[in-house]
Amino acid sequence: MPGIDESLLEAMRLPGARGASLVDWISGLALGAVGDAPGGDWEATAAETAELARHVAESGSLAAGGAPGAAPAAGDGKEPTVEDLIATTADAYHLLRFVSTPFDSTVFLHLWLDRNDGNLALARIRLAEIADRLVLG
């Protein structure tokens, strides 16, 4: 089972990958990063994406209307029911994938993907697989 560095390197092998990081959405810190950072600064990127992830994970509104019997929202001590977030720009995709763990997980994988060379559908599938195999600790 791969750790942080191996998982990030695997994400960078995806077509069009510009950069990848593992971020704690509570503290806003990057636990690991490879490749280029949007804006040239992984610390700033981690803080900004963590704010977005934290808002979605804690709001619970996106989980409302989910399937009957779906997992509870993050505010009750459970992991976020949102699987991933996608932000698009004119030339890139930013894919944030929440990582499930046996304990209260507060981390997500962030993949910065070139819009012309990347495949968003493939990236979502592969990032989910990477997140499922990721070993923290």
Side-chain angles (χ1 to χ4, degrees), residues 36-49:
D36 296 328
D41 183 355
W42 272 120
E43 291 177 18
T45 299
E48 291 168 0
T49 56

Side-chain angles (χ1 to χ4, degrees), residues 32-72:
V34 295
D36 296 328
D41 183 355
W42 272 120
E43 291 177 18
T45 299
E48 291 168 0
T49 56
E51 187 174 332
L52 176 62
R54 183 174 43 253
H55 176 71
V56 169
E58 292 176 350
S59 73
S61 63
L62 293 177

Side-chain angles (χ1 to χ4, degrees), residues 114-132:
D114 184 271
R115 196 168 180 152
N116 292 324
D117 298 331
N119 179 325
L120 184 57
L122 175 64
R124 286 191 67 226
I125 291 167
R126 295 301 311 270
L127 210 58
E129 292 169 352
I130 293 168
D132 288 344

Side-chain angles (χ1 to χ4, degrees), residues 24 33 39 56 94 110 128 132:
D24 179 89
V56 169
H94 294 269
H110 172 208
D132 288 344

Side-chain angles (χ1 to χ4, degrees), residues 88-126:
T88 62
T89 64
D91 65 347
Y93 298 115
H94 294 269
L95 179 57
L96 281 59
R97 176 69 187 198
F98 289 95
V99 177
S100 297
T101 62
F103 51 91
D104 288 338
S105 180
T106 61
V107 297
F108 63 90
L109 288 164
H110 172 208
L111 177 65
W112 184 30
L113 193 64
D114 184 271
R115 196 168 180 152
N116 292 324
D117 298 331
N119 179 325
L120 184 57
L122 175 64
R124 286 191 67 226
I125 291 167
R126 295 301 311 270

